[in-house]
Amino acid sequence: FHGYQPFPKSEMICSNIDELILLSKKSYSNFRDNLNVISSKVSILNNGVDSLKFNALGNEEKKLLKEKLNLSKDTIYFSWCSQDRKKKGLEMILHAWEKLVKITTHKIALLVIGTDKSIELDCVKVLGKIPNNKLNQYLQVSDFYLFSTLCQEGFGLSLVEALKCGNYCIASNMGAVSEVLADGKYGRLIDFPNSSESWINVILESLDEYVNNDLKNPYFKNIPKDLFDIVYWNNGLNKIIKEAKDSFNQRYYI
């Protein structure tokens, strides 16, 4: 189950399945706290991404890639990437951004990925829908990643991709997002994401921290290279399937 909150008729469904696979421990806690009975076995398997593709570049590689993508070398780039649905919070980010560019002394720009809508704001570049095989390039040239979900997220795959590309991640503290960011060890969590002022204040603080740290993400040193790797996901799912088959065979054929 890729969501976070229990789905409709959860107790009836859980009583008729053998095993439920969830993306996070927080999702399990949510099921446990909201259902009277969970009679099925529960496994937890985090999302995984390709660490060979989504990885951080060195300074020179980053400069060259910026040049290739026609991006300024001396601009601090923020990225936002999602389907343009209201619950994903783009409107909140744009409202904050309009004020932010007027008060910050840093040269910044926002890359918006996942929508073709016209956005007429200073220092905003709409990239549209980027194919997944090219998405990593835009995350690799970004300095910050804004994950502005306004719903209870099951995990946040794009957040993981940005995290592994070395982005300073600023995210809504909703659903299992805090689990992805290790409760603030890997990035900043916003407890009041429905307030544009919260985003402005945290972004300004984070910008100053980033610039004073020689344009280096202070959280990146805490992040293991193999964090949320697709290999571990594959192995984890194969293990779950094998154990389920073995259990079935023992019950019915042995």
Side-chain angles (χ1 to χ4, degrees):
F1 178 62
H2 269 234
Y4 179 76
Q5 294 177 320
F7 39 80
K9 300 182 180 179
S10 296
E11 289 187 20
M12 182 184 71
I13 294 174
C14 287
S15 67
N16 286 282
I17 62 175
D18 296 296
E19 184 165 355
L20 179 64
I21 305 173
L22 301 173
L23 293 177
S24 67
K25 293 177 182 177
K26 292 216 167 197
S27 182
Y28 170 67
S29 295
N30 189 261
F31 267 79
R32 183 196 61 202
D33 295 343
N34 286 280
L35 301 181
N36 292 321
V37 177
I38 307 176
S39 56
S40 56
K41 178 184 176 183
V42 176
S43 293
I44 295 169
L45 184 63
N46 301 143
N47 267 329
V49 302
D50 186 350
S51 298
L52 296 178
K53 181 177 180 181
F54 291 94
N55 54 61
L57 300 181
N59 290 336
E60 289 304 314
E61 290 178 295
K62 191 170 181 177
K63 287 178 182 178
L64 290 173
L65 186 54
K66 279 187 174 182
E67 185 176 346
K68 176 184 174 183
L69 298 175
N70 295 316
L71 298 174
S72 172
K73 293 181 181 179
D74 61 348
T75 297
I76 297 174
Y77 282 99
F78 288 72
S79 285
W80 181 96
C81 177
S82 184
Q83 296 177 343
D84 184 18
R85 292 182 284 173
K86 194 168 184 178
K87 68 179 183 178
K88 294 299 183 179
L90 177 58
E91 187 176 327
M92 185 66 61
I93 291 299
L94 294 177
H95 190 258
W97 195 261
E98 186 176 11
K99 296 180 181 180
L100 186 67
V101 293
K102 295 175 182 178
I103 58 178
T104 182
T105 58
H106 304 297
K107 187 177 180 181
I108 61 174
L110 174 64
L111 305 177
V112 177
I113 303 169
T115 180
D116 295 312
K117 73 188 296 181
S118 176
I119 300 175
E120 297 181 3
L121 285 179
D122 291 339
C123 306
V124 175
K125 185 179 180 66
V126 178
L127 300 178
K129 297 178 181 179
I130 303 295
N132 191 258
N133 63 351
K134 295 182 179 179
L135 176 60
N136 63 311
Q137 296 180 33
Y138 289 94
L139 295 177
Q140 287 169 328
V141 296
S142 296
D143 300 278
F144 287 83
Y145 186 74
L146 304 176
F147 191 75
S148 57
T149 182
L150 302 177
C151 64
Q152 302 294 344
E153 287 285 339
F155 203 68
L157 188 58
S158 69
L159 179 60
V160 174
E161 292 169 340
L163 192 68
K164 293 180 74 66
C165 285
N167 286 204
Y168 187 132
C169 292
I170 304 173
S172 305
N173 194 2
M174 301 282 284
V177 172
S178 60
E179 193 165 322
V180 177
L181 293 184
D183 293 319
K185 184 179 179 181
Y186 300 154
R188 294 286 296 267
L189 291 163
I190 293 185
D191 292 325
F192 191 12
N194 296 81
S195 162
S196 61
E197 291 301 318
S198 291
W199 287 96
I200 292 170
N201 293 336
V202 171
I203 289 172
L204 287 174
E205 290 173 7
S206 302
L207 259 172
D208 287 341
E209 182 182 30
Y210 185 68
V211 171
N212 292 334
N213 197 43
D214 296 324
L215 302 182
K216 295 177 183 177
N217 177 5
Y219 293 97
F220 190 64
K221 63 181 182 295
N222 301 328
I223 302 170
K225 288 186 178 180
D226 58 356
L227 181 72
F228 304 130
D229 189 274
I230 191 65
V231 173
Y232 289 93
W233 186 92
N234 287 338
N235 291 339
L237 187 58
N238 286 335
K239 181 181 178 182
I240 290 170
I241 292 171
K242 183 180 184 304
E243 289 178 353
K245 286 182 176 180
D246 290 345
S247 176
F248 181 85
N249 289 335
Q250 287 175 3
R251 276 185 289 168
Y252 297 102
Y253 294 102
I254 296 177

